[in-house]
Amino acid sequence: MARRDRPWLMRTYAGHSTAQASNALYRRNLGKGQTGLSVAFDLPTQTGYDPDHALARGEVGRVGTPVAHLGDMRQLFEGIPLDRTNTSMTINATAMWLLALYQVVAEEQGAEPTMLRGTTQNDIVKEYLARGTHVYPPGPSLRLTTDTITYAVSHLPRWNPVNVCSYHLQEAGATPVQEIAYAMTSAIAVLDAVRDSGRISPGRIGDVVGRISFFVNAGVRFVEEMCKIRAFGEIWDRLTRERYGVTDPAQRRFRYGVQVNSLGLTEAQPENNVQRIVLEMLAVTLSRDARARAIQLPAWNEALGLPRPWDQQWSLRIQQVLAEESDLLEHEDLFTGSHVVRAKTEALAAEAWAEIGRVQEMGGALAAVSSGYLKSRLVDSHARRRARVESGEERIVGVNCYPETEPSPLTAGPEAAVLTVAPAAEAPVVEALHRWRARRDRAAARRALDALRRTAETDRNLMFPTLECARAGVTTGEWADALRGVFGEYRAPTGVGGAGAAGAAAPDPALAAVRRAAADTARALGVGRLRLLVGKPGLDGHSNGAEQIAVRARDAGFEVVYQGIRLTPAQLVAAAVQEDVHCVGLSILSGSHVALVPDVLDRLRAAGAGDVPVVVGGIIPAGDAAALRTAGVAAVFTPKDFGITGIIGRIVDEIRLAHHLEVVP
């Protein structure tokens, strides 16, 4: 019998409402046997806004914990010894800032920075492609990543300062080949920048490679996903050996953590998500040679809303049963010698190398982001997958096959099936921020921000003035705004224009019928084409659904107005009025629909466009959906409404109803 392998780090991605509430949750999870922390920050924190900023309205504490300053970070980790904790922080544009706050809190606890262990995600390329929490243009963003890496290698030697994240690429539609290729080109961009910065001697590039980790996705096709991980490892080993001359095999090891695929979780028959999660976990645990070193599993009900502590406990127990009760960790790799696994791994690797080559020929990942190539490839892949689901070619149990079901006791009371963050929780956070600003040494904060701006205008490392900002009581929004003033902001390509038509592979009778209905309606209204505004109010950067609606509406003959993410209700209403649209479609997955949708409705009425139908899509509990319809929303779509062509048809119907035209069943 082989030596028993040690189990992976077990985490749950957690944080909500306030730093105090999240601290209590972390302590409870650690007490249940969780062996690492995975911190979820709210969207204002991720995008560099304070809780009292206009764009933060409705977003504070919704999808993570708000951290606006050093005091919040102290509360977040109160009673948790950071020199004995492995902490993963899902943060990107503001990663340097949150790492500085974390280090200062650790120092206040008496910990040596050299003892800190954990990860900052800090992969900005995937933000432009899939997640949407970018702030600065590609060049300055890469500089922030490079500065963080070069600082950490010397001062935080156990910390992983960058976590190249392919997880969200799969969520945005990436095939396994694309997930490998685009993660690798992102890693190349980072490593080239570090190498060319001159801050790391050529002999220490192996130290940098050895501190780079990856955060990958694992879907339900677990054989293919396991082979994807093996291909990842082989490509990384060859890439770091040949391109960067790293000779130590331990430094070249593909070090990765996982969250399994949230894209595949369903609102319909959500209890099926449990077996999906188990299968997806097997992809990254069965093979000892390709086993993850850290795993966090989503909860069964994440397609319904924010999971409760009990739901997260269930996901933790899934990991613990496999690690503690099975014999998995007692054996060598189970797939050594498998010709099936070897052939699939080689095929994925070969295709990924080819795509890596194409991106590098364009000038690398940042050039391919700026040109829109990478985003359009992902939008196109996602559109093709959605078309396969709608046609039934790709079968999803409980959604497009076997929809018959018994009533589920897990969701008998929809409002009790998820954790709800009360809108009233935002006000105390804002009030606490105002007290912090009033009590700090304002002159010290001003001096620290001035030093940050001056450094940003040079090529010196920004981590040092960032640490001083943390110590001086600077806020998240102030730190980010200081850099916005030097670097500017960035709006990434949407990828919608370059995506292929959904019906390109085969004739689609349903889409043809919607196209005819749209054309008939446009003629009845005396316009060339119906106009649809697709909008994402607030800070939610998950734009995949909005992009697919935009692509399918375009295929159905609409003129689509889609300006990307992160717009205020005022900006969206101004665009709707200026473009004289026939319908406004809002996409919100962060839970901020409660505050933002009524604001859009009120502003449309004030602008004299109250007769324009508004439809909303997102993760919206049944009670909220009823309230939105009462407020004037024409239709609400949730993940159970997987048929995009049907949604576009419903939008045509709502336009006809708004103009007193007959709707044909």
Side-chain angles (χ1 to χ4, degrees):
M1 182 180 292
R3 175 184 57 83
R4 181 177 173 84
D5 197 13
R6 62 184 176 89
W8 51 89
L9 275 173
M10 298 182 190
R11 293 176 167 139
T12 50
Y13 182 56
H16 65 84
S17 302
T18 64
Q20 298 98 313
S22 299
N23 174 264
L25 180 61
Y26 298 158
R27 291 194 191 192
R28 194 157 58 241
N29 287 346
L30 290 170
K32 293 174 182 175
Q34 185 175 299
T35 52
L37 292 178
S38 182
V39 180
F41 295 100
D42 71 358
L43 289 174
T45 304
Q46 292 186 52
T47 51
Y49 293 104
D50 285 334
D52 58 352
H53 192 279
L55 273 170
R57 183 185 176 205
E59 307 279 16
V60 176
R62 283 280 172 186
V63 298
T65 185
V67 174
H69 47 71
L70 183 61
D72 287 341
M73 192 66 94
R74 287 173 184 146
Q75 291 177 332
L76 188 63
F77 293 107
E78 184 177 357
I80 300 174
L82 297 186
D83 58 349
R84 301 199 302 272
T85 304
N86 192 306
T87 304
S88 171
M89 296 195 288
T90 300
I91 200 76
N92 296 281
T94 54
M96 176 183 285
W97 173 243
L98 272 296
L99 179 57
L101 292 175
Y102 187 88
Q103 178 181 327
V104 173
V105 168
E107 290 170 346
E108 291 179 347
Q109 291 183 355
E112 289 292 331
T114 54
M115 299 300 293
L116 299 183
R117 292 173 299 138
T119 302
T120 34
Q121 198 168 97
N122 203 18
D123 172 10
I124 202 65
V125 170
K126 74 99 169 59
E127 295 301 316
Y128 301 127
L129 300 178
R131 180 60 185 84
T133 61
H134 56 274
V135 176
Y136 311 109
S141 294
L142 186 59
R143 176 192 169 177
L144 287 169
T145 300
T146 302
D147 285 359
T148 303
I149 293 170
T150 55
Y151 172 84
V153 167
S154 297
H155 299 275
L156 308 173
R158 299 187 179 189
W159 191 268
N160 300 330
V162 62
N163 187 239
V164 178
C165 181
S166 70
Y167 173 84
H168 294 95
L169 301 183
Q170 187 179 125
E171 298 286 293
T175 65
V177 166
Q178 290 172 331
E179 186 179 346
I180 297 169
Y182 300 157
M184 287 297 161
T185 56
S186 179
I188 289 170
V190 169
L191 281 172
D192 282 0
V194 171
R195 179 194 61 194
D196 298 342
S197 71
R199 294 189 187 144
I200 298 292
S201 64
R204 294 200 67 195
I205 193 68
D207 294 335
V208 177
V209 169
R211 298 312 326 162
I212 290 183
S213 62
F214 289 77
F215 187 66
V216 306
N217 206 324
V220 76
R221 291 171 55 84
F222 74 93
V223 175
E224 182 177 56
E225 293 294 300
M226 181 186 66
C227 293
K228 177 189 76 179
I229 297 299
R230 298 170 81 96
F232 250 129
E234 292 178 10
I235 289 174
W236 183 243
D237 182 79
R238 175 182 160 188
L239 176 70
T240 53
R241 183 179 67 252
E242 295 181 356
R243 189 179 181 96
Y244 302 105
V246 180
T247 58
D248 184 349
Q251 291 178 328
R252 298 198 309 266
R253 182 166 57 91
F254 182 67
R255 301 160 60 252
Y256 77 100
V258 176
Q259 173 158 319
V260 304
N261 189 359
S262 293
L263 176 68
L265 302 183
T266 63
E267 181 183 9
Q269 298 181 25
E271 61 275 9
N272 293 336
N273 294 330
V274 176
Q275 47 265 37
R276 292 186 180 106
I277 290 167
V278 171
L279 285 172
E280 291 162 352
M281 181 179 63
L282 292 179
V284 295
T285 54
L286 281 181
S287 173
R288 182 169 183 167
D289 293 346
R291 185 169 294 150
R293 297 318 309 172
I295 298 175
Q296 58 190 45
L297 301 181
W300 68 277
N301 57 347
E302 287 195 18
L304 307 178
L306 191 65
R308 301 158 299 185
W310 181 85
D311 306 311
Q312 292 190 324
Q313 175 183 294
W314 191 353
S315 291
L316 175 62
R317 296 294 186 243
I318 290 172
Q319 297 194 58
Q320 291 170 328
V321 167
L322 180 64
E324 304 295 342
E325 298 186 26
S326 83
D327 60 351
L328 176 67
L329 299 179
E330 298 172 5
H331 299 282
E332 298 290 350
D333 194 276
L334 305 179
F335 301 96
T336 300
S338 167
H339 66 276
V340 173
V341 170
R342 174 44 39 197
K344 184 65 175 177
T345 301
E346 289 176 351
L348 290 171
E351 291 181 59
W353 275 118
E355 184 65 7
I356 291 169
R358 280 189 284 272
V359 173
Q360 292 305 109
E361 287 174 3
M362 296 176 186
L366 295 189
V369 165
S370 298
S371 71
Y373 170 78
L374 292 184
K375 184 65 173 178
S376 64
R377 290 276 289 172
L378 293 179
V379 173
D380 184 63
S381 294
H382 200 180
R384 292 177 185 278
R385 177 185 181 273
R386 293 299 303 241
R388 292 194 303 272
V389 171
E390 291 184 51
S391 70
E393 177 186 350
E394 185 171 323
R395 292 163 68 84
I396 301 177
V397 174
V399 176
N400 64 358
C401 64
Y402 312 115
E404 304 80 9
T405 184
E406 296 294 330
S408 170
L410 291 174
T411 57
E415 297 310 312
V418 294
L419 178 67
T420 300
V421 177
E426 187 168 311
V429 175
V430 173
E431 291 167 5
L433 170 67
H434 293 165
R435 288 195 299 273
W436 174 269
R437 289 198 192 117
R439 293 172 181 172
R440 68 183 177 180
D441 184 334
R442 296 181 185 179
R446 186 169 59 252
R447 287 193 299 271
L449 286 168
D450 288 342
L452 178 69
R453 293 187 192 95
R454 289 195 300 271
T455 303
E457 293 169 349
T458 72
D459 61 357
R460 297 195 304 273
N461 195 313
L462 282 163
M463 189 68 186
F464 296 100
T466 293
L467 283 164
E468 292 309 309
C469 284
R471 295 180 178 114
V474 166
T475 67
T476 297
E478 290 169 342
W479 178 88
D481 281 347
L483 296 183
R484 283 185 181 97
V486 179
F487 298 148
E489 285 195 80
Y490 185 71
R491 297 196 67 79
T494 66
V496 170
D508 183 346
L511 181 59
V514 173
R515 191 179 290 125
R516 287 193 298 272
D520 290 345
T521 304
R523 279 193 295 272
L525 299 180
V527 297
R529 289 190 293 170
L530 297 180
R531 291 181 294 279
L532 171 67
L533 172 69
V534 177
K536 288 198 63 64
L539 297 176
D540 172 32
H542 286 100
S543 58
N544 305 329
E547 290 154 4
Q548 294 307 310
I549 291 291
V551 169
R552 193 66 57 85
R554 181 201 64 190
D555 295 345
F558 276 77
E559 178 183 339
V560 177
V561 179
Y562 177 56
Q563 299 171 329
I565 62 172
R566 212 177 303 161
L567 296 168
T568 65
Q571 289 172 319
L572 288 172
V573 169
V577 172
Q578 181 177 348
E579 300 290 342
D580 193 21
V581 300
H582 298 99
C583 182
V584 172
L586 303 178
S587 170
I588 307 176
L589 281 80
S590 66
S592 60
H593 53 266
V594 174
L596 298 183
V597 173
D599 192 4
V600 171
L601 292 169
D602 290 343
R603 290 176 184 274
L604 282 171
R605 294 178 186 121
D611 57 343
V612 175
V614 174
V615 301
V616 181
I619 299 177
I620 301 173
D624 288 355
L628 292 178
R629 284 189 287 266
T630 299
V633 169
V636 176
F637 303 102
T638 65
K640 72 178 184 298
D641 302 299
F642 71 94
I644 297 181
T645 298
I647 293 174
I648 303 304
R650 179 72 181 278
I651 289 173
V652 174
D653 290 346
E654 294 299 336
I655 293 172
R656 294 184 69 86
L657 286 171
H659 290 273
H660 309 292
L661 299 174
E662 181 183 3
V663 174
V664 180

